[in-house]
Amino acid sequence: MKVAEAVGRALTAAGVDHVFGVVGSGNFHLTNAMVAAGSRYVAARHEGGAATMADAYARMSGAVAALSVHQGPGLTNALTGIAEAAKSRTPLLVLAAEATQPTSNFYVDQEALARAVGAVTERVSSPHSAVEQACGAVRRALHERRTVLLNLPLDVQALDVADTAAIAVVPPPARAAVEPSDADVAALVAALEGARRPVFVAGRGARSPGARDALVALAGHHGALLATSAVAHGLFQGDPWSLGISGGFASPVAVELIQGADLVVGWGCALNMWTMRHGRLIGPDAVVVQVDDDASALGAHRQVHLGVVGDVERTARRALDAGGNERREGYRGEAVGPQVRWRDVPYEDESTRDRIDPRTLGIALDDILPAERVIGVDSGNFMGYPSAYLSVPDHHGFCFTQAFQSIGLGLATTIGAALARPDRLPVAALGDGGALMGAAELDTVRRLGLPMVVVVYDDEGYGAEVHHFGPDGHPLDTVTFPPTDIAAIARGYGFEAVTVRTCADLKAVEDWVAGPRSAPLLVDAKVAGEHGAWWLEEAFRGH
């Protein structure tokens, strides 16, 4: 048996059951070995799409996913998706063939590339250690929550493995929960008991049913209101004390209530400039507490009064047990208000005969599409509209790959999320720029038979730049484009498609939902673009 086959079998045995990629000569035998051992291989049309599919699948499934790429250009093509995964601390394994001879056209310093985008590296160095090194990379991805590049030199892949018994491996144990200290729990309880208007903001580290239940119970005991970062959107869906997303996408009522808090507790949440609107969501006298199982995350984005190192669920349950029996009214003694949801906030409809207001579009689609959905969102001026106006059933209903703020990842994000949640209708929300960047993966949607709805918010330009630079009189020729029939492009890939200019055009979406859904659907929504999205000014403060 060759090293390539031994490593492929070992990775599958170690629990890597989904591998995404584009196969070339250097990763051909490795990928085939994983498939033969039982892993599902998902072929993308571009390595960048494959990387984001793998990232989204890992986020939504909770399992380590793999990305398989050719040496050199296969890896460089995937780098934007790898950077997004690394910044998001996604447990992702990048399997890259490696040319080690500098005279090879495929040669590039792959370790340096990985480090440059925040990934960590491992290498298979010999037949004797190949299986253990591969399994070690899986453990590292899982236990450290890191994106790991496993380099597989071509010459080593071709060597014989003497002892095939070494392939008998088992999946690594789950990452152990970090227990908070007694002193930190006592300090957290004291902060909660001293607060009159507490607000909890849950992030990626709270995205589990156990953590959600623990936070709901603790918030109820102390009268805290509940909010999330964008990546944890849906975690508190249905709770009457939920404010939805904190940050740029927050409704005016949610903003007012968060700003009025005298205690803000971030649970597995970075409390970064997006979630806290550059700190303006935190009142001048508010106490700030951050709970995270990674000590290096505490205070990384803003100063905190108390940092607690601990698993979110374990910390919340310990604080509940230590808090006594008396329930406190807290912030819940004040009316939350009826306009926490954006769809309940009055607005002046800017739809015309030729263009539909994206708010009107979002409310209509929210009513038409089945409630059991999983939404992937691309980046751009439009992105606040689907995030705010399309509801999700829970935190498994929203996949937000925005740590690197790249456009063009939304379609691949939704493919990966759809494969992790096949029980739900996948909905991709894209701008026209991102849709055309990632259009090759429309073929992947059709080929996989995914009953996906792709909604393109088409304003014929890079809307963020149009609305940021346009008011100052700058020429916009570089960021605006002539009309494109995106619906026709989708039909060429085997989609059903409809161009939407008014609410009446959405009848075709209703018919698709009611029908067999035998082909995916693309909605080319020609949206009104006279004004920038409400969150745009806030977003550009971070540049």
Side-chain angles (χ1 to χ4, degrees), residues 92-386:
L92 177 66
L93 187 62
V94 182
L95 307 171
E98 183 182 30
T100 56
Q101 296 299 319
T103 53
S104 169
N105 286 351
F106 294 126
Y107 176 79
V108 67
D109 190 340
Q110 297 189 173
E111 284 193 348
L113 289 172
R115 289 194 299 269
V117 297
V120 296
T121 65
E122 301 284 351
R123 175 176 281 106
V124 170
S125 59
S126 72
H128 176 73
S129 59
V131 166
E132 176 51 37
Q133 288 168 331
C135 292
V138 176
R139 287 193 299 272
R140 190 174 187 187
L142 180 64
H143 293 162
E144 297 182 20
R145 289 198 302 259
R146 299 298 297 268
T147 295
V148 180
L149 169 64
L150 179 63
N151 284 302
L152 295 134
L154 296 173
D155 53 350
V156 177
Q157 285 194 60
L159 297 176
D160 290 321
V161 174
D163 183 9
T164 57
I167 302 171
V169 298
V170 295
R175 187 176 190 268
V178 177
E179 196 71 30
S181 70
D182 292 342
D184 281 349
V185 171
L188 172 59
V189 170
L192 290 167
E193 291 180 343
R196 293 183 297 109
R197 299 184 305 279
V199 169
F200 290 179
V201 183
R204 181 179 293 109
R207 290 183 74 253
S208 73
R212 178 197 184 279
D213 292 347
L215 290 177
V216 167
L218 184 64
H221 191 77
H222 291 280
L225 303 182
L226 297 160
T228 71
S229 66
V231 295
H233 180 37
L235 186 66
F236 302 120
Q237 180 67 25
D239 191 290
W241 303 105
S242 172
L243 303 178
I245 300 175
S246 172
F249 298 158
S251 72
V253 169
V255 168
E256 180 181 351
L257 289 167
I258 296 169
Q259 287 178 331
D262 61 359
L263 171 66
V264 175
V265 185
W267 297 90
C269 177
L271 299 176
N272 60 27
M273 62 183 181
W274 306 111
T275 306
M276 292 289 106
R277 291 195 177 187
H278 299 267
R280 287 190 300 280
L281 284 188
I282 299 175
D285 300 320
V287 173
V288 180
V289 177
Q290 187 179 3
V291 179
D292 202 290
D293 64 2
D294 181 359
S296 67
L298 301 178
H301 291 273
R302 62 158 295 114
Q303 185 176 0
V304 297
H305 298 90
L306 171 64
V308 178
V309 179
D311 172 77
V312 167
E313 179 180 357
R314 292 295 307 135
T315 303
R317 294 201 184 282
R318 288 273 304 277
L320 184 62
D321 292 341
N325 297 322
E326 182 182 354
R327 292 176 67 89
R328 303 171 62 246
E329 188 177 47
Y331 215 166
R332 299 183 180 190
E334 303 178 25
V336 171
Q339 295 175 6
V340 169
R341 297 190 311 169
W342 268 107
R343 65 174 293 155
D344 298 325
V345 177
Y347 68 96
E348 183 177 347
D349 194 328
E350 297 180 357
S351 299
T352 67
R353 293 178 58 186
D354 299 316
R355 295 272 167 182
I356 188 169
D357 189 306
R359 296 165 292 187
T360 303
L361 173 69
I363 292 170
L365 287 174
D366 193 43
D367 292 337
I368 293 170
L369 298 176
E372 286 297 311
R373 62 186 72 151
V374 56
I375 298 173
V377 181
D378 211 321
S379 189
N381 174 65
F382 79 95
M383 64 191 289
Y385 295 112

